[in-house]
Amino acid sequence: MAKYYKHPQYGMVYGLPVTTPIGRLVWTQNLVNPKAPPPPKEGEKPGSPRYEATLLLEKGPTADAFIKELKLMAGEMVDLFNDKRPAKLGDFRILQDGDETDMEKYPYYKNRWVLVGRNAQKVEDIVDKKKQRIEAATVLGGMKGRFVITPLITSHGLSFKLGAVQVTEDDGTRYGGGVKDMTTLLDVIDGLDDGAPEPIADPIAPTVTAPVAEKAPIGAGGKAARGKTAALDLL
């Protein structure tokens, strides 16, 4: 049985699910509401919305070891993808370098690697550090956490299918988006004089602006045997 699964019709290659190191979670609002696809190029069909979140990994030995693991797997996947394919896939990047982004707009990308996990289906496996399920809306930009992802090679290069999100710590850091909690206004309302209410300032909100298979490859027919908690076993 092959180590990786190659789609018999479309040719994309799925890797094995891996757990990322702990980083900072950003743009988590798209775990609640899927992100609209970019406008299609001429002659292309419109894409579908995707649930997604981004993980910022501090540059250093831990991230280097993780990238090395991804690079090794992706290299094997590309060999399978290019097999019997007239147009070969060439060089591609493993992760986006945060230092190459706009530092004025995204200062928290400095000295970090950027990993975007996406899924056409809503990610159900969102948990806390004890692996207890939590609501997607409670995951806010700046929290510490990690992903379970499945690498995917297509003609566009390497991407990552998001299978699970774990929040490991909340130290109060906030940046990179999130879902505004409107209930914070209730504390302000309770403190007002009912006869002469003062104007209520809207609280500052973050500015909104990257199939987990089981370790066994997908079998005949292109479908994998998956339990809803399969990704949690990797956390």
Side-chain angles (χ1 to χ4, degrees), residues 99-113:
D99 290 324
E100 296 178 356
T101 60
D102 185 341
M103 287 293 102
E104 288 190 14
K105 196 172 183 180
Y106 309 114
Y108 38 88
Y109 278 30
K110 184 177 181 179
N111 198 39
R112 285 171 170 156
W113 297 105

Side-chain angles (χ1 to χ4, degrees), residues 25-193:
L25 304 166
V26 293
W27 315 131
T28 56
Q29 68 272 13
N30 292 126
L31 292 172
V32 179
N33 301 306
K35 185 176 180 179
K41 297 179 181 178
E42 186 176 355
E44 292 184 351
K45 294 181 179 179
S48 301
R50 290 288 187 271
Y51 293 91
E52 67 174 59
T54 298
L55 185 67
L56 304 179
L57 299 174
E58 191 83 25
K59 291 183 178 180
T62 300
D64 289 345
F66 175 66
I67 291 172
K68 183 178 180 180
E69 176 187 359
L70 288 180
K71 188 174 183 179
L72 178 62
M73 185 186 301
E76 295 174 341
M77 293 167 62
V78 166
D79 289 342
L80 180 58
F81 179 82
N82 285 336
D83 184 43
K84 299 178 182 179
R85 185 182 179 89
K88 309 293 184 184
L89 179 64
D91 293 336
F92 57 89
R93 69 184 180 188
I94 302 299
L95 296 181
Q96 178 186 348
D97 187 343
D99 290 324
E100 296 178 356
T101 60
D102 185 341
M103 287 293 102
E104 288 190 14
K105 196 172 183 180
Y106 309 114
Y108 38 88
Y109 278 30
K110 184 177 181 179
N111 198 39
R112 285 171 170 156
W113 297 105
V114 182
L115 188 159
V116 182
R118 299 184 176 94
N119 200 320
Q121 305 299 319
K122 191 168 186 177
V123 180
E124 301 292 344
D125 291 337
I126 301 177
V127 299
D128 61 17
K129 63 182 179 181
K130 295 181 180 180
K131 296 203 291 188
Q132 299 298 309
R133 293 183 185 275
I134 58 177
E135 294 295 327
T138 65
V139 184
L140 302 177
M143 289 179 173
K144 292 184 179 181
R146 57 182 177 168
F147 293 163
V148 174
I149 54 171
T150 299
L152 174 65
I153 292 288
T154 68
S155 58
H156 299 290
L158 176 65
S159 60
F160 303 101
K161 190 165 188 178
L162 183 61
V165 177
Q166 182 180 37
V167 175
T168 58
E169 183 182 350
D170 182 8
D171 60 4
T173 300
R174 291 291 180 269
Y175 52 63
V179 178
K180 183 189 293 186
D181 183 2
M182 299 301 290
T183 63
T184 57
L185 290 173
L186 297 177
D187 295 333
V188 180
I189 294 173
D190 289 342
L192 295 178
D193 183 348

